[in-house]
Amino acid sequence: DSGVTQTPKHLITATGQRVTLRCSPRSGDLSVYWYQQSLDQGLQFLIQYYNGEERAKGNILERFSAQQFPDLHSELNLSSLELGDSALYFCASSPQGAYTEAFFGQGTRLTVV
Amino acid sequence: AQTVTQSQPEMSVQEAETVTLSCTYDTSESDYYLFWYKQPPSRQMILVIRQEAYKQQNATENRFSVNFQKAAKSFSLKISDSQLGDAAMYFCAYRRIGQFYFGTGTSLTVIP
């Protein structure tokens, strides 16, 4: 158990809909990262938050947005969903410090039908 | 931008044998960290081993060790005495300050 909690584990929704994925980082971790992993693909970095502020942005679509709340949990909002958005979405957290590893949640498997 | 390259999309190894997975990276920095993550069929991302760039000694964790060649920007993972449970996708990752950069992964099959 990495200590990072993601909910829900599975999500099935229709095209055009909007969903929210939730992540609770490890206790004390200030950084949260979101990644997308399509079937048999690598990890695509979406966005990073540090202590409530956006720190870095990757290949995140305009239909996607995220935020980190004062209690450090984070949410990834996906809207106007398309079939191609079906993927495994990972949240990871890391402690303060530039060179520590990232701890991953178990991911949310999103299926858009 | 930093890039991480894993040139072997797939590898296989006989059980109990040794296999080496390759990783190269591109950076102009001198201070950074490198990691190997394992993703078994459960899809959970599990840290296997990490290496600090300022350390010349190669990291070792039980049957897992790395060959870190800083000048060549190479960071390979050696798995000794391979076990069936080692079958997974392996990702190499580079970290500099806040950002992580992942390779595209190597799928390892362990043959009984």
Side-chain angles (χ1 to χ4, degrees):
Chain A
D1 183 6
S2 67
V4 179
T5 303
Q6 288 188 248
T7 56
K9 286 188 171 51
H10 301 277
L11 197 50
I12 301 175
T13 190
T15 54
Q17 295 299 304
R18 171 189 169 94
V19 297
T20 297
L21 313 184
R22 182 187 169 99
C23 170
S24 294
R26 292 188 335 148
S27 178
D29 285 0
L30 299 179
S31 279
V32 169
Y33 306 81
W34 286 98
Y35 292 89
Q36 179 193 56
Q37 186 179 35
S38 301
L39 188 63
D40 295 329
Q41 299 293 312
L43 292 165
Q44 184 91 313
F45 169 66
L46 296 178
I47 199 164
Q48 178 203 358
Y49 280 85
Y50 180 82
N51 202 19
E53 294 188 1
E54 182 183 305
R55 182 60 64 93
K57 219 173 211 183
N59 297 321
I60 187 167
L61 300 173
E62 286 191 10
R63 301 183 286 109
F64 296 0
S65 65
Q67 55 184 325
Q68 185 180 29
F69 295 88
D71 66 353
L72 300 179
H73 91 271
S74 179
E75 293 181 355
L76 178 67
N77 300 296
L78 315 176
S79 61
S80 302
L81 285 167
E82 303 174 358
L83 296 178
D85 297 327
S86 295
L88 189 58
Y89 290 84
F90 282 109
C91 168
S93 73
S94 68
Q96 190 171 1
Y99 302 112
T100 51
E101 62 264 36
F103 296 86
F104 283 80
Q106 290 192 314
T108 293
R109 181 171 296 283
L110 173 66
T111 303
V112 183
V113 298
Chain B
Q2 282 77 12
T3 57
V4 178
T5 302
Q6 294 179 249
S7 59
Q8 307 153 315
E10 297 178 349
M11 292 281 286
S12 62
V13 62
Q14 206 76 29
E15 194 176 4
E17 296 296 311
T18 295
V19 65
T20 298
L21 308 184
S22 300
C23 173
T24 59
Y25 56 95
D26 181 26
T27 185
S28 58
E29 305 294 339
S30 60
D31 202 10
Y32 48 87
Y33 263 48
L34 297 164
F35 307 91
W36 279 97
Y37 282 87
K38 169 185 177 181
Q39 188 179 40
S42 67
R43 307 302 292 271
Q44 173 74 47
M45 292 286 287
I46 302 166
L47 179 69
V48 175
I49 199 166
R50 68 176 189 176
Q51 173 77 44
E52 298 93 329
Y54 66 87
K55 286 188 177 179
Q56 292 187 340
Q57 186 174 4
N58 290 323
T60 298
E61 289 287 343
N62 300 314
R63 298 182 294 106
F64 298 86
S65 62
V66 299
N67 183 4
F68 173 48
Q69 302 290 329
K70 191 172 184 178
K73 298 178 185 175
S74 170
F75 181 59
S76 60
L77 175 70
K78 186 172 82 170
I79 307 174
S80 304
D81 185 25
S82 297
Q83 300 176 359
L84 295 178
D86 296 332
M89 182 74 83
Y90 287 82
F91 291 97
C92 176
Y94 162 102
R95 183 176 192 185
R96 163 70 183 167
I97 310 296
Q99 276 306 298
F100 289 88
Y101 301 87
F102 285 86
T104 51
T106 296
S107 178
L108 178 66
T109 299
V110 180
I111 303 166

